[in-house]
Amino acid sequence: MEVQRLKDGLKNNKIVIVTFLLWILVTESFFGNGSKEWDFAIAQPTVLLKVGNVTEDDKKVISLNKQELQQDIEINSMVFSGISLYMDTLNQQISGKLELELVDKENGRLIKKWTNNLGDLKIKGFYDFMLSKPIEVKEKMQYTLKIKAINESKVVPQLTLVSNDELFSSELRVNGEKNTRIVPYRILGNNSGVLIYFLYAMYAGMTLSLFIMCIMLLKKKRIELIFSVSVFVIGMIYLFVIPPFVVPDEPAHFINAYAQSSRLLGKEVVDDSGKVLVASDALWGQDKNVARRDVYIQFMKGALGKGTANSGDAIATIETSLQFNPGYIPQIIGISLARIFRMNSEQLLLLGRLFALLWYCFIMFWAIKFIPFGKAALFIIGMLPMTMQQVVSYSYDSVLFGVCFFCISFILYIAYRKEKIKWYDIVIVLLITVTISLIKLVYLPILGLAIMIPQIKFGGMRKKSIASVLVVATSIFTIVITKLSLFASWMSSFDISTAEVEGSTISLSFCIKHPQEISRLLWRTVERDGSRLVSEMLGSSLGWLDLNIPQILVIFMVIVILLSILRREGEEQYITTGIRLWGGTLTIVIIVAVMISLLLLWTLEGASLISGLQGRYFLPILPLLVILLRNNVIVTKKNIDKYLILSIGYINCMVIYFILLITVSR
């Protein structure tokens, strides 16, 4: 009896057991396999202040042969634990010693002296010189760095000098004479405690997401509600794990949204040269397109209200199109609210992204609610790591993905579930048409799914034709009004004198003259780059994080998606051969349209592959492709949707873990 009771208990609580096992795996990875990386990251100092921007165009070198350098620096109200100097000795065969002294400028007291072998400094970048214990300094404390080399080789050691932007009180003297340049340096601090809190917060979020999924599945909540809550919780983790400007092209997207926010609030939008103005350099500073330990710490502190206030002179950034784009509406609202309530830079960046996530949760709630079949498939695609990256960013993909997913869902709902089409259904389709046209018109063929809606639902062929003409006319009108400049540039490419210039991008004229070559280029790209694009689409390589997710996770994603295609035994099969052929045709048309657009925008004549093609460009049509693969051949006797939902939650947790594993050690 006890054995039977145990079996019954296990059977009724399988979902709890599976959740617990997945949580154990996440915990073991985080605190077991990742413990060495966390220990290393916590032991490393963080950058409190960086002075001097090293660029190849600006930098110069100075010989340390029989010369002594003294550089005055100023530190404002902080506890610092060391100083970094920029070294470029990677390929130099030098022997000798480098002596560095840190002296209190006010009383001449020696704070610390370092003596390093020049042969050990084989780096290109900042080298850390750490204090024995951190020093707490008062406001505007003046220190002097004394730098001298004792050379024992024929190669003369050199230091890199850069322009002095005079934002900080840094002055370099060479043998007592003032120099107009400075040695780039960084002030280091010890923020290990903050990093520990950050890591624990990320782990707590991962644990929370898994157990929220489990509880909602146990309570048999609607799948659309489970999705929205789960995506919000996991999305909040991604907001911090993928800091602002790490997503491709996010700086440009942010500037577009910020410009529209300025216009909405009646603020000055651009300067005299046409560059968009932002409130402070903290919103447009250096090194923002990276994810590393100090960026995480700064972003977390700022989100908690300890960041830099947006005050002072406005900063000119880049020129951009000021044309309205609905893909930025959520971000514009978030930015505007942050500016109204005078939030700091990190909070402003966070709030704009948060509103993008909230919009996605809202639109996907209705997308999953409306779709008549394949709810689990749409759930999984909507939570793929690449999808999550885009919907928590300033990219218009947060709106585009949601609208495209909703479009597929809503049309299938009308075609298979709704008895009669109302006027507001047409209005919804028109709004979808306008939105896609304004953001990325290459995805408009998705609306071609509406052809399979029976005419009886319109009240006859005449009304269906009127509705179809209305949708087509709306899309054409929107495209003509908003894309005139794009079409003008394409049409200008018909000029024979400029159509085939070596090193120029492929033009319409070139495509018309060389159809065979273009066809081969398209196929060659699919043949040789297809696996990379599919892997990227799922999330194998996220943003500019400079890391690749382990292939075992990518394989797991593919398996989960394929399992979501399976029909349950007795479930009605909606997809017929005719629908499959028509939907497949639309999918191919969109894929080719995406490739052609990149062909005309980025690809040079003579290229072997299409340039600029990324896997995320095909995410909007992935639900359609997956749904079309549903068939009568492979069915499952049991409903495995709840296990698939937990699986995609676990996959996201592991992706977050691997992102942290690499980036916090930088």
Side-chain angles (χ1 to χ4, degrees):
M1 290 294 292
E2 290 297 327
V3 174
Q4 184 61 41
R5 189 178 301 145
L6 179 61
K7 287 182 178 179
D8 293 340
L10 291 174
K11 183 178 180 180
N12 295 330
N13 294 284
K14 282 183 181 178
I15 195 69
V16 176
I17 296 169
V18 171
T19 303
F20 183 73
L21 290 175
L22 293 177
W23 174 74
I24 290 293
L25 291 175
V26 171
T27 302
E28 170 58 26
S29 295
F30 205 92
F31 293 107
N33 299 337
S35 59
K36 289 185 178 180
E37 284 79 2
W38 308 146
D39 291 342
F40 172 80
I42 292 169
Q44 302 304 306
T46 55
V47 178
L48 301 177
L49 177 68
K50 178 181 176 182
V51 180
N53 185 29
V54 183
T55 63
E56 293 298 324
D57 295 335
D58 179 61
K59 72 176 186 179
K60 293 185 178 180
V61 295
I62 184 171
S63 169
L64 288 177
N65 189 30
K66 298 180 181 179
Q67 295 197 101
E68 182 174 320
L69 279 62
Q70 292 188 7
Q71 182 159 302
D72 295 336
I73 61 174
E74 182 179 281
I75 304 176
N76 288 321
S77 300
M78 61 179 67
V79 176
F80 78 100
S81 57
I83 292 177
S84 287
L85 290 185
Y86 185 84
M87 314 289 291
D88 191 355
T89 55
L90 187 62
N91 299 313
Q92 298 181 24
Q93 301 300 320
I94 307 175
S95 62
K97 295 186 182 298
L98 178 70
E99 292 184 354
L100 178 68
E101 294 181 359
L102 179 65
V103 178
D104 188 325
K105 188 178 179 180
E106 182 178 350
N107 54 32
R109 181 172 62 90
L110 177 66
I111 305 297
K112 177 70 175 179
K113 180 177 180 179
W114 296 270
T115 303
N116 292 71
N117 292 323
L118 285 169
D120 296 335
L121 302 178
K122 298 293 183 182
I123 65 166
K124 183 175 182 179
F126 284 95
Y127 186 84
D128 298 340
F129 298 88
M130 304 303 298
L131 297 170
S132 303
K133 60 180 181 178
I135 296 177
E136 185 173 354
V137 299
K138 300 177 182 179
E139 186 176 357
K140 294 186 178 181
M141 284 286 291
Q142 297 283 335
Y143 291 89
T144 299
L145 282 175
K146 296 182 178 181
I147 308 168
K148 183 174 66 174
I150 303 172
N151 189 25
E152 298 173 357
S153 63
K154 294 181 180 179
V155 179
V156 178
Q158 297 174 329
L159 270 184
T160 298
L161 300 184
V162 299
S163 297
N164 186 359
D165 56 17
E166 296 182 354
L167 291 175
F168 303 93
S169 299
S170 299
E171 181 180 284
L172 174 66
R173 295 183 298 280
V174 181
N175 295 330
E177 295 184 6
K178 183 178 178 180
N179 196 293
T180 58
R181 292 176 168 264
I182 60 170
V183 178
Y185 68 93
R186 302 187 305 189
I187 304 299
L188 305 177
N190 186 2
N191 285 297
S192 59
V194 176
L195 187 60
I196 289 173
Y197 294 140
F198 175 76
L199 292 172
Y200 273 115
M202 297 301 100
Y203 170 74
M206 292 154 65
T207 299
L208 181 65
S209 64
L210 285 176
F211 283 98
I212 282 178
M213 283 182 167
C214 175
I215 292 169
M216 297 187 79
L217 288 168
L218 280 174
K219 291 183 173 294
K220 297 181 179 180
K221 297 293 184 180
R222 291 175 296 169
I223 189 170
E224 60 268 22
L225 183 61
I226 297 174
F227 177 89
S228 295
V229 174
S230 302
V231 164
F232 178 76
V233 175
I234 292 177
M236 289 297 294
I237 306 173
Y238 274 103
L239 280 175
F240 288 93
V241 172
I242 304 179
F245 300 169
V246 172
V247 176
D249 304 322
E250 192 173 14
H253 291 301
F254 168 73
I255 290 302
N256 273 290
Y258 195 94
Q260 295 299 332
S261 170
S262 296
R263 180 180 286 177
L264 178 67
L265 298 176
K267 306 284 187 180
E268 189 176 5
V269 180
V270 297
D271 64 4
D272 295 337
S273 63
K275 294 182 178 179
V276 175
L277 296 170
V278 298
S280 71
D281 59 349
L283 290 170
W284 195 253
Q286 300 291 332
D287 300 331
K288 278 192 173 291
N289 62 338
V290 292
R292 60 175 184 253
R293 183 177 57 256
D294 55 298
V295 172
Y296 285 142
I297 292 173
Q298 179 185 345
F299 190 54
M300 186 177 71
K301 283 185 172 181
L304 296 174
K306 300 178 181 179
T308 306
N310 292 310
S311 59
D313 296 333
I315 303 298
T317 56
I318 57 174
E319 295 182 32
T320 187
S321 170
L322 296 178
Q323 185 177 6
F324 174 73
N325 187 324
Y328 299 126
I329 290 177
Q331 296 91 324
I332 293 170
I333 294 172
I335 291 173
S336 300
L337 287 174
R339 296 172 72 178
I340 290 171
F341 290 103
R342 300 184 182 279
M343 293 182 176
N344 63 41
S345 300
E346 287 79 17
Q347 290 172 334
L348 185 150
L349 291 168
L350 180 64
L351 200 61
R353 289 171 130 214
L354 177 60
F355 270 75
L357 174 63
L358 289 171
W359 153 260
Y360 182 72
C361 292
F362 169 78
I363 193 69
M364 285 299 292
F365 175 91
W366 295 103
I368 295 177
K369 180 180 176 64
F370 280 132
I371 197 166
F373 51 89
K375 290 181 184 289
L378 185 56
F379 188 112
I380 291 161
I381 293 169
M383 274 187 69
L384 287 173
M386 180 57 75
T387 311
M388 295 303 302
Q389 170 193 272
Q390 295 303 115
V391 301
V392 300
S393 73
Y394 277 94
S395 171
Y396 47 57
D397 285 346
S398 58
V399 173
L400 179 66
F401 285 0
V403 170
C404 288
F405 294 162
F406 178 81
C407 178
I408 295 169
S409 170
F410 191 68
I411 291 176
L412 291 175
Y413 165 72
I414 293 174
Y416 292 108
R417 290 289 172 85
K418 194 154 191 181
E419 294 181 2
K420 187 176 181 181
I421 295 176
K422 305 291 186 180
W423 64 268
Y424 51 80
D425 297 319
I426 304 298
V427 171
I428 291 173
V429 174
L430 289 175
L431 289 174
I432 292 171
T433 303
V434 171
T435 303
I436 296 177
S437 300
L438 289 172
I439 301 176
K440 273 286 180 71
L441 58 88
V442 292
Y443 300 110
L444 274 178
I446 290 176
L447 291 160
L449 286 172
I451 290 178
M452 64 187 186
I453 301 175
Q455 64 182 19
I456 191 173
K457 296 195 175 188
F458 288 90
M461 188 62 191
R462 180 171 174 272
K463 290 185 178 180
K464 181 177 181 179
S465 300
I466 292 173
S468 301
V469 169
L470 188 60
V471 171
V472 172
T474 300
S475 61
I476 292 175
F477 177 78
T478 306
I479 292 169
V480 169
I481 293 298
T482 61
K483 307 295 182 181
L484 279 177
S485 59
L486 177 62
F487 282 113
S489 65
W490 282 359
M491 295 307 294
S492 66
S493 67
F494 280 105
D495 186 350
I496 298 176
S497 63
T498 61
E500 297 186 30
V501 179
E502 184 177 358
S504 62
T505 56
I506 292 176
S507 62
L508 278 177
S509 176
F510 184 91
C511 293
I512 293 171
K513 290 180 180 180
H514 306 87
Q516 274 191 319
E517 186 174 336
I518 295 300
S519 299
R520 289 195 185 100
L521 181 57
L522 292 173
W523 175 247
R524 193 184 303 119
T525 301
V526 173
E527 179 186 59
R528 302 180 185 180
D529 239 9
S531 60
R532 175 186 67 84
L533 294 172
V534 171
S535 183
E536 279 185 359
M537 178 174 62
L538 301 178
S540 64
S541 179
L542 297 176
W544 290 329
L545 294 170
D546 194 25
L547 60 89
N548 291 314
I549 303 302
Q551 282 299 305
I552 190 170
L553 281 181
V554 178
I555 295 171
F556 192 14
M557 289 183 225
V558 173
I559 292 172
V560 171
I561 291 174
L562 291 176
L563 289 175
S564 72
I565 297 171
L566 301 180
R567 293 191 308 108
R568 293 197 304 272
E569 193 174 43
E571 184 182 3
E572 184 178 351
Q573 167 66 319
Y574 293 98
I575 305 299
T576 63
T577 302
I579 293 172
R580 191 172 284 113
L581 289 173
W582 176 238
T585 300
L586 293 176
T587 302
I588 293 172
V589 167
I590 293 172
I591 290 173
V592 172
V594 170
M595 296 174 74
I596 291 293
S597 66
L598 272 297
L599 188 78
L600 296 173
L601 287 172
W602 298 105
T603 309
L604 299 177
E605 293 179 15
S608 58
L609 298 172
I610 295 175
S611 302
L613 203 57
Q614 299 179 38
R616 61 189 171 90
Y617 297 152
F618 304 105
L619 263 174
I621 57 170
L622 184 58
L624 175 60
L625 179 61
V626 168
I627 287 170
L628 292 175
L629 293 176
R630 292 170 67 89
N631 56 72
N632 289 317
V633 178
I634 305 176
V635 295
T636 177
K637 292 184 178 180
K638 296 183 178 180
N639 185 351
I640 59 172
D641 288 355
K642 54 188 176 182
Y643 301 111
L644 299 179
I645 289 171
L646 280 176
S647 296
I648 194 63
Y650 168 73
I651 287 171
N652 275 286
C653 289
M654 292 307 296
V655 168
I656 291 167
Y657 159 70
F658 279 109
I659 292 173
L660 289 171
L661 196 66
I662 301 299
T663 54
V664 298
S665 300
R666 290 174 178 164

